[in-house]
Amino acid sequence: MEKLVVCPYKRPNALCRLICFPWAGGGTSQLAAWGKLFSSSIEVSSVRLPGRESRLKEPFAKDMTTIVNEITSVLLKELQEKPFAFFGHSFGSYISFAVALHLKEKYGLEPIHLFVSGAHAPNSEAFLPIKNIPLCDAEDEDIITHIQLLGGTPSEFLQYEDVKKHLIHTFREDIRVLQTFSFEKAERNIPFSCDITCFNGSEDKPHDLEAWHDLTSGDTSFYNLPGGHFYLLEPSNAIFLTKHITRCIENAGL
């Protein structure tokens, strides 16, 4: 459990668990730290994927199914005990969706709320070009340029060659995993009944958020917050997110 899930602010009496899923190339520190911003009614944890942090020596996951199966097998007991919600940013939004879909289809479990950020709906045509990114042909410097354009990585980290090399490798592997993910919505099949909230940075590239409407019979809402792709690292935005997520969870009538 501790290998996969980081929870620095444990709240065993919380009414709900908020499981966070980080972005491509990312670790657990930023989202796990949200725990101190939430009230005692919500326990926050962040998923740690193989190939990073304390799992550095483990091989990267080979595909999305492997990640979903590991997360589900480790978290299933906890998710059956208590209501839960998911928050994912970018790559993490797709993992959170894939895990939620697996839990619903196999175990009849569903988050009380799905919070997604900086990501196209997986049933959108806008998602398809991600599957065709030519990772094999991409030079390391091209990947670093892309990471710098996205923001979110302190420039001083990139001054250390070993850190830069590992970041490039992790980013490549995460995008490769994302390219193994596919979702085709069957006609008249609405996979979820929970509410979905979509967040996006106002200066980030546009994402097809409207298609999230088609994935739930619950309410879908959309929020643009000031900033680029990593708008959520701005303290003022983090406070807005945590307050809004708290309100949504508390209004779920737990």
Side-chain angles (χ1 to χ4, degrees):
M1 180 77 172
E2 284 73 19
K3 182 174 80 167
L4 177 80
V5 178
V6 177
C7 182
Y9 301 93
K10 289 184 168 48
R11 293 186 175 130
N13 297 321
L15 297 176
C16 179
R17 292 186 171 99
L18 177 67
I19 315 292
C20 298
F21 299 80
W23 45 89
T28 60
S29 58
Q30 289 98 335
L31 294 179
W34 275 9
K36 65 187 174 191
L37 300 176
F38 279 87
S39 72
S40 59
S41 63
I42 300 169
E43 182 181 76
V44 179
S45 56
S46 180
V47 168
R48 177 189 285 134
L49 300 179
R52 66 210 80 198
E53 297 177 350
S54 63
R55 305 185 69 183
L56 188 62
K57 293 183 179 178
E58 294 181 42
F60 288 94
K62 68 179 189 296
D63 53 32
M64 185 66 88
T65 302
T66 304
I67 288 177
V68 168
N69 288 341
E70 182 192 25
I71 292 170
T72 304
S73 64
V74 171
L75 288 179
L76 183 61
K77 184 171 177 289
E78 280 70 22
L79 299 182
Q80 288 171 327
E81 288 173 354
K82 190 178 286 190
F84 62 94
F86 285 167
F87 175 90
H89 179 67
S90 197
F91 173 56
S93 290
Y94 301 113
I95 300 178
S96 69
F97 174 83
V99 172
L101 192 64
H102 184 64
L103 287 167
K104 183 70 182 283
E105 290 177 346
K106 189 166 183 180
Y107 302 101
L109 282 173
E110 187 173 14
I112 59 168
H113 206 115
L114 188 59
F115 301 96
V116 295
S117 169
H120 300 297
N123 53 321
S124 165
E125 287 188 6
F127 174 71
L128 297 178
I130 295 172
K131 298 177 74 67
N132 299 317
I133 296 171
L135 285 175
C136 298
D137 301 333
E139 298 288 340
D140 285 359
E141 284 310 310
D142 293 337
I143 290 176
I144 281 294
T145 300
H146 181 66
I147 289 171
Q148 288 174 316
L149 283 172
L150 288 176
T153 304
S155 56
E156 57 267 24
F157 278 23
L158 303 178
Q159 293 172 8
Y160 299 98
E161 201 56 40
D162 54 340
V163 174
K164 186 164 81 168
K165 190 174 178 182
H166 179 66
L167 178 60
I168 292 167
H169 185 44
T170 305
F171 189 83
R172 277 186 195 274
E173 290 294 327
D174 286 350
I175 299 302
R176 187 182 55 74
V177 161
L178 183 55
Q179 291 180 333
T180 70
F181 171 63
S182 60
F183 170 74
E184 290 184 25
K185 182 184 171 295
E187 195 174 349
R188 295 202 196 98
N189 176 38
I190 299 174
F192 298 117
S193 60
C194 65
D195 292 350
I196 298 177
T197 301
C198 310
F199 302 104
N200 209 52
S202 59
E203 295 160 38
D204 194 6
K205 67 176 184 181
H207 290 100
D208 182 1
L209 305 179
E210 289 295 324
W212 287 101
H213 270 304
D214 302 327
L215 301 180
T216 185
S217 58
D219 292 337
T220 312
S221 50
F222 309 93
Y223 293 88
N224 258 336
L225 296 178
H229 189 63
F230 283 100
Y231 73 91
L232 73 170
L233 299 182
E234 289 293 328
S236 58
N237 287 335
I239 289 168
F240 174 88
L241 287 167
T242 53
K243 283 184 176 178
H244 186 80
I245 290 168
T246 298
R247 193 159 56 246
C248 290
I249 290 173
E250 289 178 346
N251 288 345
L254 302 181

